[in-house]
Amino acid sequence: MVTLGDCQRLQSSWFTALAAATGGKTFDTHQSHWVWLPARRELMLMFPEEISPAGIRPGLAEGARLGAATVGVWMNSTVKTSMLPGFGFEQGWQPWWMTAHLDCVLLDEPVGIGLEPDSPEITGPDGVELRVVRRSVPAPAVPEAKGSRAWHAVARAEGRLVGHGYSFLPDGGGNLRIPALAGIFNMAVGTDYRRRGYGSGILSRVARSAGAAGAEHLALNATPLGERLYSRRGFQLIGRGQTYWLHLAR
């Protein structure tokens, strides 16, 4: 059974892999684990067990040195956050952690979606091409992200990008309790193209690609809007988290 702790470790592995692939880094300050994502100019504090000045102050100083525009804190809902507003953080969106067995997600595939796993592209709803690109994360300094694999599905219609999403399978399980657990990340569909099957098509493609590489379970963090799609595709809500954000440059 996938737990909240598994979801949190998977989220940390995903950000670590992104940092490794884009020239970022990870570092620690007094029981606080940080991930720097230079392409986004974002610094992330990942699931601290407690918030303390000894962990926050040096992390923010390093973020300012690196040129961070935004600093985010991802937390379990039980962590006390009373200290964060004093550093300028504001409460952000609430991750809804959802999980599913791969077989449940693929049982309800839309017509025309999810052909052979190695197919470079397929035709989705309304003639949309769903192209999946596999990306192997370069071996970084952080062992847990070494050789991790990600798949990026891009949906296009009428010559324009209408949606995209990723699946991610850490190498060797990324120190996860469940090695066959893959994540679904950064799912998005343009406002004018929602409720037309594009989100389901993207989800099918990245889920099937991860499954072909050995994934048996899927996890993601959803917004209330996305939760409706994922529930229809077999995902179940197992808990909620919290985020706080500090904007250094507007």
Side-chain angles (χ1 to χ4, degrees):
M1 178 179 178
V2 180
T3 67
L4 284 175
D6 295 321
C7 294
Q8 292 174 176
R9 286 185 287 272
L10 183 62
Q11 184 76 43
S12 295
S13 292
W14 167 244
F15 281 148
T16 296
L18 283 182
T22 58
K25 70 173 188 175
T26 65
F27 61 93
D28 296 292
T29 61
H30 191 69
Q31 301 180 341
S32 298
H33 182 66
W34 302 82
V35 180
W36 165 237
L37 302 174
R40 303 180 183 181
R41 293 182 63 200
E42 288 183 349
L43 179 65
M44 300 292 183
L45 173 57
M46 304 306 300
F47 304 104
E49 294 185 1
E50 65 177 26
I51 303 296
S52 70
I56 293 291
R57 286 198 181 100
L60 293 182
E62 179 65 5
R65 187 190 72 81
L66 291 168
T70 306
V71 181
V73 183
W74 290 67
M75 290 171 291
N76 186 288
S77 60
T78 62
V79 175
K80 295 181 180 179
T81 62
S82 57
M83 193 172 296
L84 287 174
F87 287 97
F89 285 88
E90 299 175 351
Q91 188 170 11
W93 66 286
Q94 187 178 47
W96 289 25
W97 298 109
M98 305 186 73
T99 67
H101 193 281
L102 182 72
D103 291 343
C104 296
V105 176
L106 297 182
L107 278 177
D108 190 31
E109 289 186 349
V111 176
I113 299 298
L115 303 180
E116 293 301 318
D118 296 330
S119 175
E121 67 178 49
I122 59 176
T123 300
D126 298 336
V128 173
E129 290 184 349
L130 297 175
R131 183 180 298 272
V132 174
V133 180
R134 171 177 167 173
R135 302 175 185 273
S136 293
V137 177
V142 181
E144 70 179 46
K146 181 178 180 180
S148 300
R149 290 156 293 174
W151 296 267
H152 185 204
V154 176
R156 298 184 184 277
E158 303 167 351
R160 61 189 296 184
L161 176 70
V162 300
H164 64 89
Y166 287 87
S167 58
F168 169 72
L169 183 63
D171 177 66
N175 293 329
L176 301 182
R177 188 180 59 86
I178 302 177
L181 177 62
I184 304 295
F185 296 104
N186 294 23
M187 285 275 296
V189 175
T191 303
D192 294 339
Y193 293 89
R194 293 173 183 169
R195 299 181 180 275
R196 291 166 59 180
Y198 305 141
S200 289
I202 294 168
L203 177 60
S204 293
R205 291 303 289 132
V206 293
R208 184 171 285 277
S209 296
E216 298 177 5
H217 303 271
L218 300 173
L220 53 83
N221 65 78
T223 62
L225 179 62
E227 187 269 343
R228 287 180 285 182
L229 164 64
Y230 301 128
S231 293
R232 291 196 300 269
R233 296 302 303 275
F235 284 85
Q236 295 184 339
L237 179 67
I238 64 170
R240 296 176 175 85
Q242 55 185 336
T243 63
Y244 273 75
W245 300 90
L246 171 64
H247 300 282
L248 300 177
R250 298 182 183 273

